[in-house]
Amino acid sequence: MPLRGGTVVFPFAVVPLAVGQPRSVRLIDDVMRADRRLVFVAQNTDDVDLAGPDHVYRVGTIGVVHHLARAGEGTLQVVVQGIERVRILEFTGTEPYLQARVERAPERPVEGPEGEVLRRAVLELIAKLVAVIQLPQEFVAAAEALTDPLQLCYLVGAAMPLSGAQRQELLELDTVEAKLRKLIEFIQHEIAVRELGRKIAQETEQRLSKSQREYFLREQLRSIQKELGEGEGEELAELRRALDEAGLPPEARAEADRELERLALLPAGSPEQGIIRTYLDWLANLPWQKLSGSAIDIERARTVLDEDHYDLDKIKDRILDYLAVRKLRAERAAAAGDGPDLPPTERAAAEPILCFVGPPGVGKTSLGQSIARALDRKFARVALGGVHDEAEIRGHRRTYIGAMPGRIIQALRQAGTRDPVIMLDEIDKVGSDWRGDPAAALLEVLDPAQNHRFTDTYLGVPFDLSAVLFIATANTLDTISPPLRDRMEVMQLSGYTEDEKLHIAERYLVPRQLRAHGLKPGEIVFEPDALRHIIRRYTREAGVRGLEREIAGVVRRVARRVVEGEATPVTIDVAAVERYLGRPRIPEDAFIRIDRPGIATGLAWTPAGGDVLQVEAAAMPAGEERLILTGQLGDVMRESVQAALTWVRSNAAKLGIDPGFFEHKAVHVHVPAGAVPKDGPSAGVTMATALVSLASGRPVRSDVAMTGEITLHGRVLPVGGIKEKVLAAHRAGIRTVILPKENERDTEDVPEEARKELRFVFVTDASEVIREALGEGAAPGA
């Protein structure tokens, strides 16, 4: 009969058993009809229900069934007594129950006085054992009455709290001497554990207050592990090893050790365990000491920037200047034997935070990636668009569920080094509300005088950000707070001309889309006229993002035809572009032809680049003079219209206008695209020109566009965004651009290609604008 649950029947011992397996019940029934004897053997595993020959030990005990009672539902309650030890030689059958051939295996007795010595040692230990575990005092008397050492072994072995494996080990020992020695070992270990447990319980109870009773068992386990030399748990040890390897600075290491001690004292079910483990995991996985940047190679950096970006010569030169300063400073410091670090104020002057400002799609983000590649550094991007919570930068307090470090620390962990290039993308889209001002947190991040000890709220310990190269991008500077803007060196990226877009498409966009769509170089050939047609008739943008989307649309259609079996190469001409992309979305003449008085073409700056807008003016009889403004105009633009109207009326005679034209009339000024908010003073001269055109009856020339602020006395003041506005005029087919005289130097930033095709007229007075826009010699009229 196999026995489960660590049950072992010793010779001489009386054991009650519950028999429930059908085959075991049948076995008991069969032996009760014979001589009531059978072999009891322990299973070596409890994972199987019906034990076979491989699942039982080979040493067991012959026993006799003294008592049997049926408990119902096929269950028997039996009382058996072990007779002698046997060894299984071979199994002869498994049905209806296990059958085997066995031989007696009597234990060899102890020779000489050693047996008596061992017996007395056992009796002395039994007296101590009774004092620490719950055994009746009669047990000592019964043990002392036994003169046979073997009977004493089995009596004590059956009464002690041993595991099934320990009992089986005792049964399998072949000599009485070995059994006595093993029994002494078991008793001594049990006494030591019991006494230690009692000592620990007393010490713990003295140390813990009433409010800490819930930690009692955990403290006991910890003390037991310490006494037994087992140390802390595997997970805690792994955390400690990870922290050792991370190279934490002293302040961070002290905090980590405090949290480790807290974690060791917490009970297993405590919710704080997960919080502390997460915190320690962050500390262990941050790159406190890891650096990745190699020596700066200026020629390689130049090659990388030229490979990745077309034109942008001023931007590239500034980046190379920056890298050259870093290289020179590092080499001179190394030669002098000084450390490479500068005082914070000097580092701020030598390593300013670069901020690329320009319309979408001109390559701001990819410039940051190129800088990282040129420096052999890791690149990480932090998207700041729509961030309103200061905790997104500084991190959350650990007391909150789901708390995490801020985006800067997350980017460092993602990069895996302490000196990555981190791009703060869309820094102009950061907002503030009741949750705080993220821009204020960025002040510390971007200030070299402070960021060498940047303290994330979640970590609670300083982290050195001085080795990080921060680069910011923005579409406009207007929404960036002045203190934050003051910490950055602004580098303007303007839109591209048509020829520049053509070169970019041929060198970068088309090859990239071929790779992205699984096509080989040469399988699609774009004719220059086809690319120029896409630029003119399908996109109107400062950058090239929309152009790349249109090229991708053509490549996708060709890729499908290649899959369907069409031969390559496929040549894309103007007809193929319209076949794949559909009817052109932009008319041939991008600007509206002016065929009546009261309309003037102006130039505006937007975050997406320059744009061409038209101002319309109309007059109608009214009971009283009034000015109507529509088109989502802001306060500054409304004031520009009022100033322009005042100048026109006060100079009516000089302008050839009937002085009474505006009397008893309502003047309506409208700027189309009314769903788009517009503001700023730069449309002042455009408003004045439209009003003079309306009052004089002379239409404005269609190929003229203008920008500039106007005063009450007609002075034309300078405005911003000249390069973007001029490029917008060039894209729209304008041929003459009227600009304030003080903006003449700004035209040097306009690409040579656009300057050749445009005529610039620089003015200081609004009357010069009127002469250029309306022409001289036309008869005044209404």
Side-chain angles (χ1 to χ4, degrees), residues 667-719:
V667 178
H668 187 167
V669 177
H670 175 69
V671 182
V676 180
K678 311 168 191 70
D679 203 3
S682 62
V685 295
T686 312
M687 304 288 187
T689 303
L691 291 170
V692 172
S693 173
L694 172 69
S696 65
R698 292 177 287 176
V700 179
R701 289 166 49 194
S702 295
D703 64 341
V704 174
M706 62 201 73
T707 184
E709 182 179 356
I710 190 172
T711 69
L712 290 176
H713 296 285
R715 282 199 311 124
V716 179
L717 302 181
V719 293

Side-chain angles (χ1 to χ4, degrees), residues 464-482:
D464 186 2
L465 298 180
S466 60
V468 178
L469 174 56
F470 287 103
I471 297 175
T473 71
N475 296 130
T476 177
L477 291 173
D478 297 340
T479 56
I480 303 177
S481 66

Side-chain angles (χ1 to χ4, degrees), residues 291-307:
L291 298 173
S292 64
S294 59
I296 298 174
D297 186 341
I298 299 298
E299 289 303 319
R300 180 178 180 277
R302 189 193 309 275
T303 302
V304 169
L305 292 173
D306 289 339
E307 285 177 356

